[in-house]
Amino acid sequence: MRALITGITGQDGSYLADMLLEKGYEIIGMVRRSSTESFERINHIKDAITLIQADLLDQLSIVNLIEEFRPAEVYNLAAQSFVPTSWNQPVLTGEFDAIGVTRMLEAIKLVDKKIRFYQASSSEMFGKVQEVPQSETTPFHPRSPYGVAKVYGHWITVNYRESYNIHANSGILFNHESPRRGLEFVTRKITHGVARIKLGLADQLALGNLDAKRDWGFAGDYVRAMWLMLQQDKPGDYVIATGETHSVEDFVKLAFGHVDLDYRQYVVTDPRFVRPAEVDLLQGDASRARKNLKWELTVDFEQLVKMMVDADLERLATAVK
Ligand code: NAP
Ligand code: F7E
């Protein structure tokens, strides 16, 4: 089996590549051209995979890539994925996260409609939530240009499934984290901050809204759900979530507590990290995935927080030696 992964240098792409390699897949990774290559998350597997340059903005580069390698499965994980950036670069976010999905689907339609497709949709589509918990039938009300673009990506995936009978799947994934999470996202910002404070490298951590609630899971569990969707006879839409919700403050408390520190002595709030429109509460209902995909979690909230703090402590301790 051959799989194409866009966004292979990102958090999810790297975990998905690890898992598919273990299953014996041949992996083609799509990377965009950059003057400095940063393959930190896939350095450990780079000799086992094939990296090819193409870009979500360039239709022909995607068609050529799919035509040359004829993958059986395409996982479209590439995106501008940081919500605050989407207010500063709304047009580019739309190009990548909305129209980019159409470019991927058009390439599949042109080359081979039998190729199975996974689209990385997001709980940010629920935004100002219309019900709690959120499931596949909950109406969308996105609160950022990122969320709006992802709604387009979701519906164009559904549309190519219905119009051309393509095995096109939309995974509506709630927040998922890991030691490979980008440093700007709140979980990693916290665990990296905790490690720096514990090692005496910093004495403060500036955050935005501590009251926001998220349904946080482990990225390794979530990439397994992506693969499971593409193994089903029928394509579909699936919410992937833990079903639990916790505030940013809960995460902070647990992370500092893990290294015996009282967060109230270190955390300050900074209006620069507050968003123009917030998503206050996310909590997913993954019953369909558990039933149809037999998908299960292996890491709970507390284990996730501790895993991330320990990994940052180890990384920083090695770096300062
Ligand atoms: P990430 O770490 O930010 O990775 C994003 C990836 O997209 C990187 O490999 C990046 O490449 C690539 N990329 C961005 N623009 C591109 C372009 N124009 N052409 C080609 N590649 C491009 O994101 P992630 O957390 O792994 O998330 C993976 C996907 O799931 C994203 O679509 C995200 O929106 C979605 N999602 C994430 C979560 C979550 O909680 N993590 C939840 C729901 C949905 P560079 O290395 O070159 O920047
Ligand atoms: O923010 C609050 C912030 O940036 C979570 C992406 O993977 O998940 C992610 O989007 C919450 C928000 O993730 C800071 O206001 C407080 O309420 O970690 P985040 P996100 O915006 O939920 C979804 C599912 C995706 O699809 C996205 O691609 O934390 N918060 N203080 C802060 N957030 C950040 N980043 N920094 C702070 O200092």
Side-chain angles (χ1 to χ4, degrees):
M1 284 287 265
R2 184 181 283 166
L4 168 66
I5 304 175
T6 77
I8 194 164
T9 57
Q11 171 188 258
D12 290 7
S14 66
Y15 278 105
L16 181 65
D18 285 348
M19 190 198 72
L20 294 182
L21 280 175
E22 271 173 34
K23 291 187 184 297
Y25 275 72
E26 183 189 344
I27 307 288
I28 313 298
M30 181 179 117
V31 291
R32 53 181 167 168
R33 196 264 161 189
S34 165
S35 65
T36 49
E37 286 187 344
S38 142
F39 297 156
E40 199 186 313
R41 296 185 179 101
I42 49 170
N43 263 338
H44 60 293
I45 51 169
K46 73 175 187 311
D47 295 335
I49 60 180
T50 305
L51 296 178
I52 304 287
Q53 284 184 1
D55 200 299
L56 284 179
L57 296 184
D58 191 300
Q59 178 74 71
L60 198 55
S61 71
I62 300 169
V63 173
N64 286 341
L65 175 60
I66 294 184
E67 175 70 49
E68 184 178 350
F69 290 95
R70 296 289 182 128
E73 298 174 357
V74 171
Y75 296 87
N76 184 37
L77 309 185
Q80 189 304 93
S81 74
F82 192 47
V83 171
T85 297
S86 77
W87 277 285
N88 299 331
Q89 301 179 9
V91 176
L92 190 67
T93 301
E95 281 288 348
F96 286 0
D97 298 9
I99 306 298
V101 187
T102 312
R103 294 193 186 99
M104 294 301 300
L105 286 161
E106 271 294 288
I108 289 174
K109 186 187 116 201
L110 200 70
V111 175
D112 180 0
K113 294 195 194 69
K114 294 270 175 298
I115 296 171
R116 295 187 174 201
F117 179 76
Y118 173 84
Q119 168 56 17
S121 295
S122 165
S123 53
E124 283 292 300
M125 301 189 304
F126 297 121
K128 189 173 180 189
V129 298
Q130 304 295 298
E131 60 183 359
V132 182
Q134 300 85 48
S135 73
E136 294 82 3
T137 54
T138 303
F140 300 138
H141 185 137
R143 293 273 278 171
S144 63
Y146 170 82
V148 173
K150 284 286 178 180
V151 171
Y152 176 101
H154 167 81
W155 281 115
I156 201 71
T157 301
V158 173
N159 182 259
Y160 272 56
R161 181 199 304 157
E162 294 175 352
S163 303
Y164 306 114
N165 211 18
I166 292 173
H167 197 293
N169 299 268
S170 175
I172 307 175
L173 272 52
F174 283 59
N175 300 52
H176 46 279
E177 319 294 315
S178 73
R180 297 185 198 169
R181 185 57 140 157
L183 279 167
E184 69 273 46
F185 298 92
V186 79
T187 55
R188 185 75 200 292
K189 184 174 169 183
I190 295 166
T191 61
H192 188 252
V194 165
R196 280 172 56 80
I197 291 169
K198 185 68 183 174
L199 294 173
L201 302 170
D203 52 16
Q204 233 182 33
L205 176 62
L207 295 170
N209 176 14
L210 299 183
D211 296 328
K213 290 182 150 185
R214 289 292 183 276
D215 180 330
W216 279 296
F218 171 54
D221 285 337
Y222 287 45
V223 299
R224 202 170 55 253
M226 299 174 186
W227 175 77
L228 284 168
M229 286 176 218
L230 268 53
Q231 311 316 306
Q232 306 306 304
D233 290 340
K234 286 194 179 143
D237 306 324
Y238 288 96
V239 160
I240 303 298
T242 70
E244 275 181 31
T245 191
H246 298 274
S247 67
V248 172
E249 190 164 1
D250 292 339
F251 194 108
V252 166
K253 206 185 283 183
L254 203 54
F256 276 89
H258 183 50
V259 294
D260 301 318
L261 295 176
D262 180 353
Y263 75 100
R264 287 167 299 192
Q265 291 175 20
Y266 304 98
V267 172
V268 294
T269 50
D270 185 331
R272 281 183 305 145
F273 301 115
V274 175
R275 300 175 182 190
E278 179 63 285
V279 172
D280 295 320
L281 163 73
L282 290 174
Q283 184 173 8
D285 172 1
S287 310
R288 182 186 287 179
R290 280 198 305 274
K291 181 166 175 276
N292 294 3
L293 307 179
K294 312 276 177 269
W295 176 74
E296 281 171 11
L297 293 165
T298 66
V299 176
D300 69 19
F301 179 66
E302 202 171 321
Q303 288 169 322
L304 174 68
V305 176
K306 290 178 178 173
M307 175 207 294
M308 291 178 69
V309 172
D310 288 343
D312 273 321
L313 272 174
E314 199 183 315
R315 230 182 315 220
L316 280 172
T318 315
V320 293
K321 257 185 204 157

